[in-house]
Amino acid sequence: MKYKVFLYTFIGFFMTNFFIVSSLKAEVSGFDKEIFIESAKEEKILRIGLVDCIAYALKNNSEIRIANIEPKIKQDDIKIAEAVFEPVLTLNVSYDDSEQQLSTSTPVSTSEKTDFNADIKGKLIIGTEYGISFNNTKYKSNSDLQIINPYYQSKTAITITQPLLKKAGIFVNKADIIIAQNNKNRSLKEFKNEAIKVISETKKAYFNYIYFIKQYEITELLLDWTQQLYDITKVRYDKGLVSSVDLLEIGSAVAERKKELIACESNLRNSEDELKLITNLVDDSELWNASIMPIDQPKFSVKKVDLVESLKNAFQYRPDYISKNIELQNKDIKIKVAKNSLYPAVNLVGSFGLNGLDDTYNRALDNMDDSNYRDWGVGVEVTIPWGKGNRADFDKKKLEKAQALLELKRLEQSIILEVRDKVRSIDIQYRQVEAAKLLKEKQQKNYKAQERRYKAGELNTHDFLDYRVQLALAELEYIKALIDYNIAFIELDRAQGLTLVNNDIILEN
């Protein structure tokens, strides 16, 4: 038998370590560099929309995963707090064999005692503590004084302790459960807040990437224009129509445009990597090196934004503000519990029991039905603490609430200023778009007019090149203003706590 136990133990130990090592190997081998290397050999294009980027970010973001676990932990805290009111069953079996030397007519005293006890203890939501016990004893000895030998004794009793001051009432006893439930709600708000942050940053990264694409395209077009102008100027120079200074100047402009294009390409790649990072596409062995092609474009839609309504939304929907108010509720609960602890403990205690004894266990149980064999008691327990520690704890809880109130006020002021700033920003960016659009239209008309002058020989190469640059910059400014206008709404949604609502996103644990 001992060999079998040893064998099973060894097998269990071996299998446990095998699975642990296997899991560790799986974790280590989770990154397969060969797949990434093979993927780098292919040129891929990933056409992706804004909704897809948000989905990738929410699904794969590590911060989102961490925040999503917290509500589950808090749910277990609720169960732990509720477990205080669950009954506890205790079973006890014991056997005692005694043999002693005596200086009496019976030189040796022997006895055997067997106990089997069962107890159930628990607590009610109003603070009442109860205990139900069922005790059984079999006793046998060689004593001449023991008339019934062996004898069986059974006792059953119920004891109730009801607090009258300290720890009395539903609120005090349920305080830990309420706090645990509030903490779970706070964790859900923090989870939502993290999701809002990720969505906002993803949308901003998407639009910024579009801007750098447009910047690269316009800079590339500007280089093409400048190169064409250089080719035309070279032909005219060969015919003696322009000076070498004009040719040198336009040649320098081509070199400068090439330098600008390289800088724009660097910005473009960095922006693309930033978008891949926030969406965790860098962890995808198939897509990490793919070129991203956005299929959505920034839109210019006039939306009415009301400051008062935006402030109301912020105080209604912002997760951090709701979480702070829940924290204040917990502070109030803790203050009430701490105040209750200042009271003396006055407990009403009552007990009632039945007992029976006989030479067989069944008759001992039958004797318990006889009301003559009973015991009961009632009393009052009073405990008056010195109270110094409890008073300090009560004062501490009040100071913590005062501190939390100041933090809430500061948060409210911060929300008001932030929302007002975002509303103002939308108005400013709207006017920026209108101004940039008007400037672009004017520059387009102006460029066409100057182009006709240049072809007629009324405009020198230097000035014509400047007009082209101004047109390109005007187009880029319009795109930048359009993207900033869209980002302003992203920031306002975040400030109001409406990011999830306005993007039709429902979070599930």
Side-chain angles (χ1 to χ4, degrees):
M1 183 65 181
K2 292 182 179 179
Y3 293 109
K4 288 184 177 180
V5 172
F6 174 78
L7 178 61
Y8 293 152
T9 304
F10 175 77
I11 293 174
F13 175 78
F14 174 78
M15 294 301 294
T16 301
N17 282 274
F18 173 78
F19 286 120
I20 291 175
V21 172
S22 299
S23 63
L24 288 175
K25 287 183 178 179
E27 290 182 6
V28 172
S29 62
F31 178 80
D32 191 342
K33 61 179 181 295
E34 297 300 329
I35 299 178
F36 281 82
I37 293 174
E38 286 298 320
S39 177
K41 297 177 181 178
E42 302 179 27
E43 292 186 4
K44 297 180 180 178
I45 296 177
L46 175 63
R47 295 175 56 84
I48 191 169
L50 182 56
V51 173
D52 300 319
C53 285
I54 293 174
Y56 272 115
L58 291 177
K59 179 181 179 181
N60 301 322
N61 187 275
S62 58
E63 296 298 326
I64 289 289
R65 292 180 179 178
I66 293 171
N68 191 26
I69 293 174
E70 192 64 22
K72 300 174 184 177
I73 295 176
K74 299 305 180 184
Q75 180 62 43
D76 288 333
D77 287 340
I78 296 174
K79 294 178 181 178
I80 292 171
E82 291 174 340
V84 175
F85 302 103
E86 293 178 352
V88 177
L89 173 63
T90 303
L91 300 176
N92 173 264
V93 179
S94 64
Y95 174 77
D96 182 51
D97 189 345
S98 175
E99 187 172 343
Q100 299 181 11
Q101 290 182 321
L102 301 176
S103 60
T104 62
S105 59
T106 304
V108 179
S109 172
T110 61
S111 65
E112 294 181 19
K113 183 181 180 183
T114 303
D115 287 323
F116 171 74
N117 303 320
D119 295 282
I120 296 178
K121 292 183 180 180
K123 183 178 181 181
L124 300 179
I125 197 70
I126 59 176
T128 305
E129 296 182 1
Y130 62 87
I132 302 173
S133 62
F134 180 52
N135 301 327
N136 301 273
T137 300
K138 175 188 177 183
Y139 187 80
K140 179 182 179 181
S141 74
N142 65 344
S143 173
D144 296 335
L145 300 177
Q146 185 172 329
I147 299 174
I148 303 175
N149 193 13
Y151 72 78
Y152 294 84
Q153 185 177 33
S154 295
K155 294 181 180 180
T156 182
I158 179 170
T159 303
I160 295 177
T161 303
Q162 175 61 55
L164 301 179
L165 289 177
K166 189 175 182 179
K167 297 183 179 180
I170 295 177
F171 181 83
V172 173
N173 287 280
K174 200 178 178 182
D176 289 340
I177 298 176
I178 298 174
I179 290 174
Q181 291 171 339
N182 287 343
N183 287 336
K184 180 188 176 181
N185 290 334
R186 287 190 66 194
S187 67
L188 289 171
K189 299 305 176 185
E190 290 165 4
F191 172 50
K192 183 179 290 187
N193 200 48
E194 188 62 36
I196 287 175
K197 175 184 174 183
V198 170
I199 294 169
S200 300
E201 294 302 318
T202 301
K203 294 180 72 174
K204 288 166 62 177
Y206 188 86
F207 284 126
N208 284 330
Y209 179 56
I210 291 175
Y211 168 73
F212 285 112
I213 290 176
K214 297 296 183 182
Q215 184 188 55
Y216 181 84
E217 291 175 351
I218 289 176
T219 305
E220 187 177 37
L221 181 62
L222 187 59
L223 172 61
D224 184 59
W225 284 348
T226 309
Q227 184 64 52
Q228 292 177 19
L229 188 60
Y230 176 81
D231 295 339
I232 294 173
T233 305
K234 180 68 169 59
V235 172
R236 297 179 68 185
Y237 171 76
D238 292 339
K239 294 179 179 181
L241 299 177
V242 296
S243 66
S244 60
V245 175
D246 289 335
L247 183 62
L248 181 62
E249 183 177 16
I250 195 66
S252 299
V254 171
E256 184 66 26
R257 296 294 169 261
K258 289 181 179 180
K259 182 180 178 181
E260 291 176 356
L261 187 63
I262 293 172
C264 288
E265 183 179 0
S266 176
N267 293 334
L268 176 61
R269 297 309 169 202
N270 290 336
S271 177
E272 184 181 38
D273 288 342
E274 181 181 350
L275 182 59
K276 288 180 179 178
L277 184 64
I278 197 169
T279 57
N280 290 287
L281 289 172
V282 291
D283 297 331
D284 192 317
S285 59
E286 298 295 329
L287 300 176
W288 74 276
N289 197 41
S291 298
I292 296 179
M293 182 180 294
I295 60 177
D296 293 322
Q297 296 297 322
K299 299 177 181 178
F300 182 59
S301 56
V302 181
K303 300 178 183 178
K304 184 179 180 181
V305 179
D306 181 74
L307 177 59
V308 175
E309 189 66 26
S310 298
L311 288 172
K312 290 180 180 179
N313 289 334
F315 290 121
Q316 181 179 354
Y317 294 106
R318 274 186 66 139
D320 57 340
Y321 182 70
I322 298 173
S323 177
K324 197 65 181 177
N325 280 279
I326 295 175
E327 180 186 348
L328 272 176
Q329 294 175 17
N330 284 348
K331 299 291 184 186
D332 288 332
I333 294 172
K334 292 179 180 179
I335 287 175
K336 292 180 180 179
V337 173
K339 183 178 181 181
N340 179 265
S341 67
L342 297 176
Y343 300 148
V346 181
N347 299 331
L348 180 63
V349 182
S351 65
F352 179 80
L354 298 172
N355 64 83
L357 185 146
D358 215 311
D359 58 354
T360 65
Y361 182 61
N362 289 336
R363 284 201 290 267
L365 291 177
D366 292 338
N367 289 337
M368 288 176 59
D369 293 336
D370 193 337
S371 59
N372 291 325
Y373 306 120
R374 68 182 187 279
D375 59 80
W376 63 275
V378 65
V380 177
E381 295 178 349
V382 179
T383 304
I384 303 177
W386 192 256
K388 185 176 181 180
N390 292 337
R391 171 58 65 178
D393 183 62
F394 178 57
D395 293 338
K396 176 185 175 182
K397 294 294 188 295
K398 291 193 294 184
L399 289 173
E400 288 174 348
K401 181 187 176 181
Q403 187 180 50
L405 282 171
L406 291 174
E407 292 173 354
L408 178 65
K409 183 177 180 181
R410 183 170 59 187
L411 177 60
E412 289 173 340
Q413 293 172 340
S414 174
I415 290 173
I416 290 173
L417 294 176
E418 183 182 0
V419 172
R420 186 186 64 178
D421 177 66
K422 302 309 177 186
V423 171
R424 286 177 175 176
S425 179
I426 287 177
D427 178 63
I428 291 173
Q429 294 304 326
Y430 171 79
R431 287 182 284 164
Q432 288 278 19
V433 172
E434 291 289 346
K437 182 180 180 182
L438 179 61
L439 177 62
K440 184 183 75 168
E441 293 172 350
K442 295 294 184 183
Q443 290 291 355
Q444 287 174 340
K445 293 179 180 179
N446 186 41
Y447 174 75
K448 290 181 180 179
Q450 300 304 329
E451 186 178 29
R452 289 192 294 269
R453 291 182 60 202
Y454 178 74
K455 290 179 178 180
E458 300 175 359
L459 188 67
N460 61 43
T461 303
H462 179 273
D463 291 340
F464 183 59
L465 182 60
D466 283 344
Y467 286 121
R468 278 193 168 178
V469 172
Q470 291 173 14
L471 174 60
L473 292 177
E475 291 177 345
L476 188 60
E477 280 296 318
Y478 174 71
I479 295 169
K480 183 68 168 66
L482 194 59
I483 288 175
D484 287 345
Y485 180 70
N486 282 266
I487 290 178
F489 276 101
I490 295 172
E491 292 292 345
L492 179 60
D493 284 346
R494 182 174 179 175
Q496 294 179 100
L498 291 176
T499 301
L500 299 175
V501 175
N502 290 342
N503 286 277
D504 298 323
I505 294 175
I506 300 176
L507 298 178
E508 296 181 359
N509 288 337

